[in-house]
Amino acid sequence: MAQNAKITIHPSYEVGSISDRLFSAFMEPIGTIVNGTMFNPKHPTADEQGFRRDFLDAIKKTNLPAVRMPGGNFVSCWQWKNSIGPVDERKVSLDPAWHQYYTNEVGHDEYLQWAEKAGTEPLYTVNMGTGTIQDAMDLVEYTNHKGGTYWSDMRRKNGHDEPYNVKMWYLGNEMDGPWQLGSFSSNPEGYGSKVLESSKAIRWIDETIETAVCGSSAPFMEGFPEWDMKALDKCYDVVDYVSVHHYHSAPPGDIRALLGGSLYYEDFINTEIAMIDYVASKHRSPKQVNISFDEYGAMVRPLEPLHPGYGRYNMARNHYRFDPERRYIKHDPDNMPEREFPGGDMIHALSMASIQLALLRHADRVKIGCMTGGLSALAASNHDHVWKSASHYVFMQLLEYAKGTSLDVKVDCETYDMPGYAIEDTSQYTGKEGVNYIDAAGAWDKEKKKIAVFAINRNEETEYPLTIDLKGFEGYKPAGAYTMHTDYPDIKNTYENDKALMPETEESFTFENGEFKVYVKPLSWNVYLFES
């Protein structure tokens, strides 16, 4: 008999305000997301700029708050000035990060104009690898200054009379990574000093903007968290966010390790918060710098051979290899290979949702969250069509119901242990004991007097009787309940049927004396709503 599970929420358990940018997405011109999905002039729905209207309209309907663009590793050698003006006069360039020819048909203006059409906020990443402080200044002047200067008038000449008013600027991408062009992997102080001067300079051009300094690209980085501390120490007074990334991996078939990966995200976040607050204390600063978790994902990866004696961290060794047979590729937006995640939609949706719940539980300090693959999660696509995957529905429920203040939910349920494992030499996970089968987070919209509790059952076999204790919220009653579950884990939504997996109304619950009681199915996504 399964042990009863209990979630307790209380108005005294506030975490912090939930930012509108917490559930956003990330875009970089690799794979098909730009060339083929966002942009394909030969597609039947293409508009005058070559943007696919089927994809554009699908994203617009979601009210996605923000998209980080245009990368990613891509930006560390991208010269934005090569991408403006008449398309037929733009410079084709090499993209060494992804070994591709980049035609610049989708350039600086196109990225921002696509965001305008999609009704989403662009969060812009600046080249701090091969780029200079002057490049960054020219970029912000071109983008945000009204007119009367060379670069702002150039924007107007190129067809956009009004400033784009981009508010969020990332100063570099993964600058501690040896795979990055212009990497500062061995020189955090040098990078922090460059950010200090760059942020100061661009904020003097537009004093309404926010900026972010790169923290570690993963919790496995050899310099983590000292690299982050040394970089932030140089620029604390002129930045608003520390930008961090992580991609969690689990071995094939180990669903509990995959869905328990959110614990490693929480470890990462907690360490970054401690590091940031240490630097604030060192600077005697009342200012609070927050976290932008602007790339994240979860995936299944087969275990690779380990190399004892190399040491735990060999990222540099992995990225200083040169293959004389490798060739640059020129992508055709109308003839891009399709990429599909193995397995069904359900596990993938749960793995990403578990990370989103971890971000929600830290909403006091994590103010931006950009899901890698978030655009595809909201609008799955192939060469011809766009549809809704299971992840679409989960993402949309978080966008709709995770409003107001994050609540520190207390969970009491059965637990399991996750043994430590190593995917390869770098990605090594320590074991975790006492992992809750029920993963939960909550949100309280005080103004509208609404509460949302989100819950995942990580157990692939057991259904749990669940009690949600709302006694502290006097007068609140159930206002809706939804669950998404399947007995067929390999099922996928398709263009022909994008409702094979979607949340259904849960009607089998009781509510008495402030206790909501329901059963949660194995490997399920659940949303419970309450109103006063």
Side-chain angles (χ1 to χ4, degrees), residues 431-514:
K432 293 287 186 182
E433 296 181 352
V435 180
N436 288 332
Y437 276 115
I438 301 298
D439 184 17
W444 179 22
D445 189 331
K446 298 180 187 179
E447 183 178 341
K448 295 183 178 179
K449 297 184 178 180
K450 294 183 177 183
I451 295 170
V453 176
F454 308 94
I456 294 170
N457 183 356
R458 292 174 169 134
N459 197 319
E460 64 268 42
E461 299 171 350
T462 303
E463 179 181 72
Y464 288 104
L466 173 66
T467 297
I468 300 179
D469 185 340
L470 294 101
K471 295 188 188 75
F473 288 95
E474 187 176 352
Y476 278 79
K477 292 181 171 58
Y482 303 93
T483 184
M484 186 168 69
H485 161 78
T486 179
D487 292 324
Y488 307 99
D490 290 332
I491 194 170
K492 286 179 180 287
N493 286 8
T494 63
Y495 172 69
E496 291 75 20
N497 182 10
D498 65 358
K499 296 181 180 179
L501 268 175
M502 63 181 297
E504 298 177 349
T505 301
E506 173 64 77
E507 297 178 348
S508 300
F509 63 82
T510 62
F511 184 72
E512 188 176 355
N513 298 323

Coordinates of all heavy atoms in Angstrom, one line a residue, residues 431-514:
G431 N 25.6 11.0 -5.5 CA 24.3 10.4 -5.2 C 23.5 11.3 -4.3 O 24.0 12.2 -3.7
K432 N 22.2 11.0 -4.3 CA 21.3 11.8 -3.5 C 20.4 10.8 -2.7 O 19.9 9.8 -3.2 CB 20.3 12.7 -4.3 CG 21.0 13.8 -5.1 CD 21.4 14.9 -4.2 CE 22.0 16.1 -4.9 NZ 22.4 17.2 -4.0
E433 N 20.3 11.1 -1.4 CA 19.4 10.2 -0.5 C 18.2 10.9 -0.2 O 18.1 12.2 0.0 CB 20.2 9.8 0.7 CG 21.4 9.0 0.5 CD 22.2 8.6 1.7 OE1 21.8 9.1 2.8 OE2 23.1 7.8 1.7
G434 N 17.1 10.2 0.0 CA 15.8 10.7 0.4 C 15.2 11.7 -0.6 O 14.7 12.7 -0.2
V435 N 15.2 11.3 -1.8 CA 14.6 12.2 -2.9 C 13.0 11.9 -2.8 O 12.6 10.8 -2.9 CB 15.1 11.8 -4.3 CG1 14.4 12.7 -5.3 CG2 16.6 12.0 -4.3
N436 N 12.3 13.0 -2.7 CA 10.8 12.9 -2.7 C 10.3 12.4 -4.0 O 10.6 12.9 -5.1 CB 10.2 14.2 -2.4 CG 10.3 14.7 -1.0 OD1 10.5 13.8 -0.1 ND2 10.3 16.0 -0.7
Y437 N 9.4 11.4 -4.0 CA 8.7 11.0 -5.2 C 7.8 12.1 -5.7 O 7.6 12.2 -6.9 CB 7.9 9.7 -4.9 CG 8.7 8.4 -5.1 CD1 8.9 7.6 -4.0 CD2 9.2 8.1 -6.3 CE1 9.6 6.4 -4.1 CE2 10.0 6.9 -6.4 CZ 10.2 6.1 -5.3 OH 10.9 4.9 -5.4
I438 N 7.2 12.9 -4.7 CA 6.3 14.0 -5.1 C 7.2 15.2 -5.2 O 7.7 15.7 -4.2 CB 5.1 14.1 -4.2 CG1 4.3 12.9 -4.1 CG2 4.3 15.3 -4.6 CD1 3.7 12.5 -5.4
D439 N 7.3 15.8 -6.4 CA 8.0 17.1 -6.6 C 7.0 18.2 -6.7 O 6.0 18.0 -7.6 CB 8.8 16.9 -7.9 CG 9.7 18.1 -8.2 OD1 10.0 18.9 -7.2 OD2 10.2 18.2 -9.3
A440 N 7.1 19.2 -6.0 CA 6.0 20.2 -6.0 C 6.5 21.6 -5.8 O 7.7 21.9 -5.3 CB 5.0 19.9 -4.8
A441 N 5.7 22.6 -6.2 CA 6.0 24.0 -6.1 C 4.6 24.7 -6.0 O 3.6 24.1 -6.5 CB 6.8 24.6 -7.2
G442 N 4.6 25.9 -5.5 CA 3.3 26.7 -5.4 C 3.4 28.1 -5.7 O 4.5 28.7 -5.6
A443 N 2.3 28.8 -6.1 CA 2.3 30.2 -6.4 C 1.0 30.8 -5.8 O -0.1 30.1 -5.8 CB 2.3 30.4 -7.9
W444 N 1.1 32.0 -5.2 CA 0.0 32.7 -4.6 C -0.2 34.1 -5.2 O 0.7 34.9 -5.0 CB 0.2 32.7 -3.1 CG -0.8 33.4 -2.3 CD1 -2.1 33.6 -2.6 CD2 -0.6 34.0 -1.0 NE1 -2.8 34.3 -1.6 CE2 -1.9 34.5 -0.6 CE3 0.4 34.1 -0.1 CZ2 -2.1 35.2 0.6 CZ3 0.2 34.8 1.1 CH2 -1.0 35.3 1.5
D445 N -1.2 34.2 -5.9 CA -1.6 35.6 -6.5 C -2.4 36.3 -5.4 O -3.7 36.1 -5.4 CB -2.3 35.4 -7.8 CG -2.5 36.7 -8.5 OD1 -2.5 37.8 -7.8 OD2 -2.5 36.8 -9.8
K446 N -1.8 37.1 -4.6 CA -2.5 37.7 -3.5 C -3.6 38.7 -4.0 O -4.7 38.7 -3.5 CB -1.6 38.5 -2.6 CG -0.5 37.7 -1.9 CD 0.4 38.6 -1.1 CE 1.6 37.8 -0.5 NZ 2.5 38.7 0.2
E447 N -3.3 39.4 -5.1 CA -4.3 40.4 -5.6 C -5.6 39.7 -6.1 O -6.7 40.2 -5.8 CB -3.6 41.2 -6.7 CG -4.5 42.3 -7.2 CD -3.8 43.1 -8.3 OE1 -2.5 43.1 -8.4 OE2 -4.5 43.8 -9.1
K448 N -5.4 38.6 -6.8 CA -6.6 37.9 -7.3 C -7.1 36.8 -6.4 O -8.1 36.2 -6.8 CB -6.2 37.4 -8.7 CG -5.9 38.4 -9.8 CD -5.7 37.8 -11.1 CE -5.4 38.9 -12.2 NZ -5.1 38.4 -13.5
K449 N -6.4 36.6 -5.3 CA -6.7 35.6 -4.3 C -6.8 34.2 -5.0 O -7.8 33.5 -4.9 CB -8.1 36.0 -3.6 CG -8.0 37.3 -2.8 CD -9.3 37.6 -2.1 CE -9.1 38.9 -1.3 NZ -10.4 39.2 -0.5
K450 N -5.7 33.9 -5.6 CA -5.7 32.6 -6.3 C -4.4 31.9 -5.9 O -3.3 32.5 -5.7 CB -5.7 32.8 -7.8 CG -7.0 33.3 -8.4 CD -6.9 33.4 -9.9 CE -8.3 33.9 -10.4 NZ -8.3 33.9 -11.9
I451 N -4.5 30.6 -5.7 CA -3.3 29.7 -5.4 C -3.2 28.6 -6.5 O -4.2 28.1 -6.9 CB -3.5 29.1 -4.0 CG1 -3.4 30.2 -2.9 CG2 -2.4 28.1 -3.7 CD1 -3.8 29.6 -1.5
A452 N -2.0 28.3 -6.8 CA -1.8 27.2 -7.7 C -0.7 26.3 -7.1 O 0.3 26.8 -6.6 CB -1.3 27.6 -9.1
V453 N -1.0 25.0 -7.0 CA 0.0 24.0 -6.6 C 0.3 23.1 -7.8 O -0.6 22.5 -8.4 CB -0.5 23.2 -5.4 CG1 0.5 22.1 -5.0 CG2 -0.8 24.1 -4.2
F454 N 1.6 22.9 -8.1 CA 2.1 22.1 -9.2 C 2.7 20.9 -8.6 O 3.6 21.0 -7.7 CB 3.0 22.8 -10.1 CG 2.5 24.2 -10.5 CD1 2.8 25.3 -9.8 CD2 1.7 24.3 -11.7 CE1 2.3 26.6 -10.2 CE2 1.2 25.5 -12.1 CZ 1.5 26.7 -11.4
A455 N 2.5 19.7 -9.1 CA 3.0 18.5 -8.5 C 3.4 17.5 -9.6 O 2.6 17.3 -10.6 CB 2.1 17.9 -7.5
I456 N 4.5 16.8 -9.5 CA 5.0 15.7 -10.4 C 5.1 14.5 -9.5 O 5.7 14.5 -8.4 CB 6.3 16.1 -11.0 CG1 6.2 17.2 -12.0 CG2 6.9 14.8 -11.8 CD1 7.5 17.7 -12.5
N457 N 4.6 13.4 -10.0 CA 4.9 12.1 -9.4 C 6.0 11.4 -10.1 O 5.9 11.1 -11.3 CB 3.7 11.2 -9.4 CG 3.9 9.8 -8.7 OD1 5.0 9.6 -8.2 ND2 2.9 9.0 -8.6
R458 N 7.2 11.4 -9.5 CA 8.4 10.8 -10.1 C 8.4 9.3 -10.2 O 9.2 8.7 -10.8 CB 9.6 11.2 -9.3 CG 10.0 12.7 -9.4 CD 11.1 13.0 -8.5 NE 11.7 14.3 -8.7 CZ 12.0 15.2 -7.7 NH1 11.8 14.8 -6.4 NH2 12.5 16.4 -8.0
N459 N 7.5 8.7 -9.5 CA 7.4 7.2 -9.4 C 6.7 6.6 -10.6 O 5.6 7.0 -11.0 CB 6.7 6.7 -8.1 CG 6.9 5.3 -7.8 OD1 7.0 4.4 -8.7 ND2 7.1 5.0 -6.5
E460 N 7.4 5.7 -11.3 CA 6.9 5.2 -12.6 C 5.9 4.0 -12.4 O 5.3 3.5 -13.3 CB 8.0 4.8 -13.5 CG 8.9 3.6 -13.0 CD 10.1 4.1 -12.3 OE1 10.0 5.0 -11.5 OE2 11.2 3.5 -12.5
E461 N 5.7 3.6 -11.1 CA 4.9 2.5 -10.8 C 3.7 2.8 -9.9 O 2.7 2.1 -10.0 CB 5.7 1.4 -10.2 CG 6.9 0.9 -11.1 CD 7.8 -0.1 -10.4 OE1 7.7 -0.2 -9.2 OE2 8.7 -0.7 -11.1
T462 N 3.9 3.7 -9.0 CA 3.0 3.8 -7.8 C 2.1 5.1 -7.9 O 2.6 6.2 -8.2 CB 3.7 3.8 -6.5 OG1 4.5 2.7 -6.4 CG2 2.8 3.9 -5.3
E463 N 0.8 4.9 -7.7 CA -0.1 6.0 -7.5 C -0.2 6.3 -6.0 O -0.3 5.4 -5.2 CB -1.5 5.5 -8.0 CG -2.6 6.6 -7.8 CD -4.0 6.1 -8.3 OE1 -4.6 5.2 -7.6 OE2 -4.4 6.5 -9.4
Y464 N -0.2 7.6 -5.7 CA -0.2 8.1 -4.3 C -1.5 8.8 -4.0 O -1.9 9.7 -4.7 CB 1.0 9.0 -4.0 CG 2.3 8.3 -4.0 CD1 3.2 8.4 -5.1 CD2 2.7 7.5 -2.9 CE1 4.4 7.8 -5.1 CE2 3.9 6.9 -2.9 CZ 4.8 7.0 -4.0 OH 6.0 6.4 -4.0
P465 N -2.0 8.5 -2.8 CA -3.1 9.3 -2.2 C -2.4 10.6 -1.7 O -1.4 10.5 -0.9 CB -3.6 8.5 -1.1 CG -2.9 7.3 -1.0 CD -1.7 7.3 -1.9
L466 N -2.9 11.8 -2.2 CA -2.2 13.0 -1.9 C -3.2 13.9 -1.1 O -4.3 14.1 -1.6 CB -1.7 13.7 -3.1 CG -1.2 15.2 -3.0 CD1 0.1 15.2 -2.2 CD2 -1.0 15.8 -4.4
T467 N -2.7 14.5 0.0 CA -3.4 15.6 0.7 C -2.7 16.9 0.6 O -1.5 17.0 0.8 CB -3.6 15.2 2.2 OG1 -4.3 14.0 2.3 CG2 -4.3 16.3 2.9
I468 N -3.4 17.9 0.2 CA -2.9 19.3 0.2 C -3.5 20.0 1.3 O -4.8 20.2 1.4 CB -3.1 20.0 -1.1 CG1 -2.5 19.2 -2.3 CG2 -2.6 21.4 -1.1 CD1 -2.7 19.9 -3.7
D469 N -2.7 20.4 2.3 CA -3.2 21.1 3.5 C -3.2 22.6 3.3 O -2.2 23.2 3.2 CB -2.3 20.7 4.7 CG -2.8 21.3 6.0 OD1 -3.6 22.2 6.0 OD2 -2.3 20.8 7.1
L470 N -4.4 23.2 3.2 CA -4.6 24.6 3.0 C -5.2 25.3 4.2 O -5.7 26.4 4.1 CB -5.5 24.9 1.8 CG -5.1 24.5 0.4 CD1 -5.7 23.2 0.0 CD2 -5.4 25.6 -0.6
K471 N -5.1 24.7 5.4 CA -5.7 25.3 6.6 C -5.3 26.7 6.9 O -6.1 27.5 7.4 CB -5.5 24.4 7.8 CG -6.1 23.0 7.7 CD -5.9 22.3 9.1 CE -6.3 20.8 9.0 NZ -5.4 20.0 8.3
G472 N -4.1 27.0 6.5 CA -3.6 28.4 6.7 C -4.2 29.4 5.8 O -4.2 30.6 6.1
F473 N -4.8 29.0 4.7 CA -5.5 29.9 3.8 C -7.0 29.8 4.0 O -7.7 29.1 3.2 CB -5.1 29.5 2.3 CG -3.7 29.9 1.9 CD1 -2.7 28.9 2.0 CD2 -3.4 31.1 1.5 CE1 -1.4 29.2 1.7 CE2 -2.1 31.5 1.1 CZ -1.1 30.5 1.2
E474 N -7.5 30.4 5.0 CA -8.9 30.4 5.4 C -9.7 31.0 4.3 O -9.4 32.1 3.8 CB -9.1 31.1 6.7 CG -10.5 30.9 7.2 CD -10.7 31.6 8.6 OE1 -9.7 32.0 9.2 OE2 -11.9 31.6 9.1
G475 N -10.8 30.3 3.9 CA -11.7 30.8 2.9 C -11.4 30.3 1.5 O -12.2 30.6 0.5
Y476 N -10.2 29.7 1.2 CA -9.9 29.2 -0.1 C -10.5 27.9 -0.3 O -10.5 27.0 0.5 CB -8.4 29.1 -0.2 CG -7.7 30.5 -0.6 CD1 -7.5 31.4 0.4 CD2 -7.3 30.8 -1.9 CE1 -6.8 32.6 0.2 CE2 -6.7 32.0 -2.2 CZ -6.5 32.9 -1.1 OH -5.9 34.1 -1.4
K477 N -11.0 27.7 -1.6 CA -11.7 26.5 -2.0 C -11.2 26.1 -3.3 O -10.6 26.9 -4.1 CB -13.2 26.7 -2.0 CG -13.9 26.9 -0.7 CD -15.4 27.1 -0.8 CE -16.0 27.1 0.5 NZ -15.6 28.2 1.4
P478 N -11.3 24.8 -3.7 CA -10.9 24.3 -5.0 C -11.5 25.1 -6.2 O -12.7 25.3 -6.1 CB -11.3 22.8 -5.0 CG -11.4 22.4 -3.6 CD -11.9 23.7 -2.9
A479 N -10.7 25.4 -7.2 CA -11.2 26.1 -8.3 C -10.9 25.4 -9.6 O -11.2 25.9 -10.7 CB -10.6 27.5 -8.4
G480 N -10.3 24.2 -9.5 CA -9.9 23.5 -10.7 C -8.8 22.5 -10.4 O -7.9 22.8 -9.5
A481 N -8.8 21.4 -11.1 CA -7.7 20.4 -11.0 C -7.4 19.8 -12.3 O -8.4 19.5 -13.0 CB -8.0 19.4 -9.9
Y482 N -6.2 19.6 -12.7 CA -5.8 19.0 -14.0 C -4.7 18.0 -13.8 O -3.8 18.2 -12.9 CB -5.3 20.1 -14.9 CG -6.3 21.2 -15.1 CD1 -6.3 22.4 -14.3 CD2 -7.3 21.1 -16.1 CE1 -7.2 23.4 -14.5 CE2 -8.2 22.1 -16.3 CZ -8.2 23.3 -15.5 OH -9.1 24.3 -15.7
T483 N -4.7 17.0 -14.6 CA -3.7 16.0 -14.6 C -3.3 15.5 -16.0 O -4.2 15.5 -16.9 CB -4.1 14.8 -13.7 OG1 -3.1 13.8 -13.6 CG2 -5.3 14.0 -14.3
M484 N -2.1 15.2 -16.2 CA -1.6 14.6 -17.5 C -0.8 13.4 -17.2 O 0.1 13.4 -16.4 CB -0.8 15.6 -18.3 CG -0.4 15.1 -19.7 SD 0.3 16.4 -20.7 CE 1.9 16.7 -19.9
H485 N -1.3 12.3 -17.8 CA -0.7 11.0 -17.5 C -1.0 10.1 -18.7 O -1.9 10.3 -19.4 CB -1.3 10.4 -16.2 CG -1.2 8.9 -16.1 ND1 0.0 8.3 -15.7 CD2 -2.0 7.9 -16.4 CE1 -0.1 7.0 -15.7 NE2 -1.4 6.7 -16.1
T486 N -0.1 9.1 -18.9 CA -0.4 8.1 -19.9 C 0.1 6.7 -19.5 O 1.1 6.7 -18.8 CB 0.3 8.5 -21.3 OG1 0.0 7.5 -22.2 CG2 1.8 8.6 -21.1
D487 N -0.6 5.7 -19.9 CA -0.1 4.3 -19.7 C 0.8 3.9 -20.8 O 1.4 2.8 -20.7 CB -1.3 3.4 -19.6 CG -2.1 3.6 -18.3 OD1 -1.5 4.0 -17.3 OD2 -3.4 3.5 -18.4
Y488 N 1.1 4.8 -21.8 CA 1.9 4.4 -22.9 C 3.0 5.4 -23.1 O 2.9 6.4 -23.7 CB 1.0 4.4 -24.2 CG -0.2 3.5 -24.0 CD1 -1.4 4.0 -23.7 CD2 -0.1 2.1 -24.2 CE1 -2.6 3.2 -23.6 CE2 -1.2 1.3 -24.0 CZ -2.4 1.8 -23.7 OH -3.5 1.0 -23.6
P489 N 4.1 5.2 -22.4 CA 5.2 6.2 -22.3 C 5.8 6.6 -23.7 O 6.5 7.6 -23.7 CB 6.3 5.5 -21.4 CG 5.9 4.1 -21.5 CD 4.5 3.9 -21.7
D490 N 5.6 5.8 -24.7 CA 6.2 6.1 -26.0 C 5.3 7.0 -26.9 O 5.7 7.3 -28.0 CB 6.6 4.8 -26.8 CG 7.8 4.1 -26.1 OD1 8.6 4.8 -25.5 OD2 7.8 2.9 -26.2
I491 N 4.1 7.3 -26.4 CA 3.2 8.1 -27.2 C 3.7 9.5 -27.4 O 4.3 10.1 -26.5 CB 1.8 8.1 -26.5 CG1 0.8 8.6 -27.5 CG2 1.8 9.0 -25.3 CD1 -0.7 8.4 -27.0
K492 N 3.5 10.0 -28.6 CA 3.9 11.4 -29.0 C 2.7 12.1 -29.6 O 1.9 11.5 -30.4 CB 5.0 11.3 -30.0 CG 6.4 11.0 -29.5 CD 7.4 10.9 -30.7 CE 8.8 10.6 -30.3 NZ 9.5 11.7 -29.6
N493 N 2.6 13.4 -29.3 CA 1.7 14.2 -30.1 C 2.2 14.5 -31.5 O 3.5 14.6 -31.7 CB 1.5 15.6 -29.3 CG 0.6 15.4 -28.1 OD1 0.3 14.3 -27.7 ND2 0.3 16.5 -27.5
T494 N 1.4 14.6 -32.4 CA 1.8 14.9 -33.8 C 0.9 16.0 -34.4 O -0.1 16.4 -33.8 CB 1.5 13.6 -34.7 OG1 0.1 13.3 -34.7 CG2 2.3 12.4 -34.1
Y495 N 1.2 16.4 -35.6 CA 0.4 17.4 -36.3 C -1.0 16.9 -36.5 O -2.0 17.6 -36.3 CB 1.1 17.8 -37.6 CG 0.2 18.7 -38.5 CD1 0.0 20.0 -38.1 CD2 -0.4 18.2 -39.6 CE1 -0.9 20.8 -38.9 CE2 -1.2 19.0 -40.4 CZ -1.5 20.3 -40.0 OH -2.3 21.1 -40.8
E496 N -1.1 15.6 -36.8 CA -2.4 15.0 -37.0 C -3.2 14.9 -35.7 O -4.4 15.0 -35.7 CB -2.3 13.7 -37.7 CG -1.7 13.7 -39.1 CD -0.2 14.0 -39.2 OE1 0.5 13.8 -38.2 OE2 0.2 14.4 -40.3
N497 N -2.5 14.7 -34.6 CA -3.2 14.6 -33.3 C -2.3 15.2 -32.2 O -1.4 14.5 -31.7 CB -3.4 13.1 -33.0 CG -4.2 12.9 -31.7 OD1 -4.6 13.9 -31.1 ND2 -4.3 11.7 -31.2
D498 N -2.5 16.4 -31.9 CA -1.7 17.1 -30.9 C -2.4 17.1 -29.6 O -2.1 17.9 -28.7 CB -1.2 18.5 -31.3 CG -2.4 19.5 -31.5 OD1 -3.5 19.1 -31.4 OD2 -2.1 20.6 -31.9
K499 N -3.4 16.3 -29.4 CA -4.1 16.1 -28.2 C -4.1 14.7 -27.6 O -4.8 14.4 -26.7 CB -5.6 16.6 -28.3 CG -5.7 18.0 -28.7 CD -7.2 18.5 -28.9 CE -7.3 19.9 -29.2 NZ -8.7 20.4 -29.4
A500 N -3.1 13.9 -28.1 CA -3.0 12.6 -27.6 C -2.5 12.7 -26.2 O -3.0 11.9 -25.3 CB -2.0 11.8 -28.4
L501 N -1.7 13.6 -25.9 CA -1.2 13.9 -24.5 C -1.5 15.3 -24.2 O -0.9 16.2 -24.8 CB 0.3 13.6 -24.4 CG 0.7 12.2 -23.9 CD1 2.2 12.1 -24.0 CD2 0.2 11.9 -22.5
M502 N -2.4 15.5 -23.2 CA -2.7 16.9 -22.8 C -3.4 16.8 -21.4 O -3.9 15.7 -21.0 CB -3.6 17.6 -23.8 CG -5.0 17.0 -24.0 SD -6.0 17.9 -25.2 CE -6.1 19.5 -24.4
P503 N -3.3 17.8 -20.6 CA -4.0 17.8 -19.3 C -5.5 17.6 -19.4 O -6.1 18.1 -20.3 CB -3.6 19.2 -18.7 CG -2.4 19.6 -19.4 CD -2.6 19.1 -20.8
E504 N -6.0 16.8 -18.5 CA -7.4 16.5 -18.4 C -7.9 17.0 -17.1 O -7.2 17.1 -16.1 CB -7.7 15.0 -18.6 CG -7.3 14.5 -19.9 CD -7.5 13.0 -20.1 OE1 -7.9 12.4 -19.0 OE2 -7.4 12.4 -21.2
T505 N -9.2 17.4 -17.0 CA -9.8 17.8 -15.8 C -9.8 16.6 -14.8 O -10.3 15.5 -15.2 CB -11.2 18.4 -16.0 OG1 -11.1 19.4 -16.9 CG2 -11.8 18.8 -14.7
E506 N -9.4 16.9 -13.6 CA -9.4 15.9 -12.5 C -10.6 16.2 -11.7 O -10.8 17.3 -11.1 CB -8.1 16.0 -11.7 CG -8.1 15.1 -10.4 CD -8.2 13.7 -10.7 OE1 -7.1 13.1 -11.1 OE2 -9.3 13.1 -10.6
E507 N -11.6 15.3 -11.6 CA -12.8 15.5 -10.9 C -12.9 14.6 -9.6 O -13.8 14.9 -8.8 CB -14.0 15.2 -11.8 CG -14.1 16.1 -13.0 CD -15.2 15.8 -13.9 OE1 -15.8 14.7 -13.8 OE2 -15.5 16.6 -14.8
S508 N -12.0 13.6 -9.5 CA -12.1 12.7 -8.3 C -11.3 13.3 -7.2 O -10.1 12.8 -6.9 CB -11.6 11.3 -8.7 OG -12.4 10.8 -9.8
F509 N -11.8 14.3 -6.5 CA -11.1 14.8 -5.3 C -12.2 15.2 -4.3 O -13.4 15.3 -4.6 CB -10.3 16.0 -5.7 CG -11.0 17.2 -6.2 CD1 -11.7 18.1 -5.4 CD2 -11.1 17.4 -7.6 CE1 -12.4 19.2 -5.8 CE2 -11.8 18.5 -8.1 CZ -12.4 19.4 -7.2
T510 N -11.7 15.4 -3.1 CA -12.6 15.8 -2.0 C -11.9 17.0 -1.3 O -10.7 17.2 -1.4 CB -12.8 14.7 -0.9 OG1 -11.6 14.4 -0.3 CG2 -13.5 13.5 -1.5
F511 N -12.7 17.8 -0.7 CA -12.2 19.0 0.1 C -13.1 19.2 1.3 O -14.3 19.4 1.3 CB -12.3 20.3 -0.8 CG -11.7 21.5 -0.1 CD1 -10.3 21.6 0.0 CD2 -12.5 22.5 0.3 CE1 -9.7 22.7 0.6 CE2 -11.9 23.6 1.0 CZ -10.5 23.7 1.1
E512 N -12.4 19.1 2.5 CA -13.1 19.2 3.7 C -12.1 19.7 4.8 O -11.0 19.3 4.9 CB -13.7 17.8 4.1 CG -14.6 17.9 5.3 CD -15.2 16.5 5.7 OE1 -15.0 15.6 4.9 OE2 -15.9 16.4 6.7
N513 N -12.6 20.7 5.6 CA -11.8 21.2 6.7 C -10.4 21.7 6.2 O -9.4 21.5 6.9 CB -11.7 20.2 7.8 CG -13.0 19.8 8.4 OD1 -13.9 20.7 8.5 ND2 -13.2 18.5 8.8
G514 N -10.3 22.3 5.1 CA -9.1 22.9 4.6 C -8.1 21.8 4.0 O -7.0 22.2 3.7

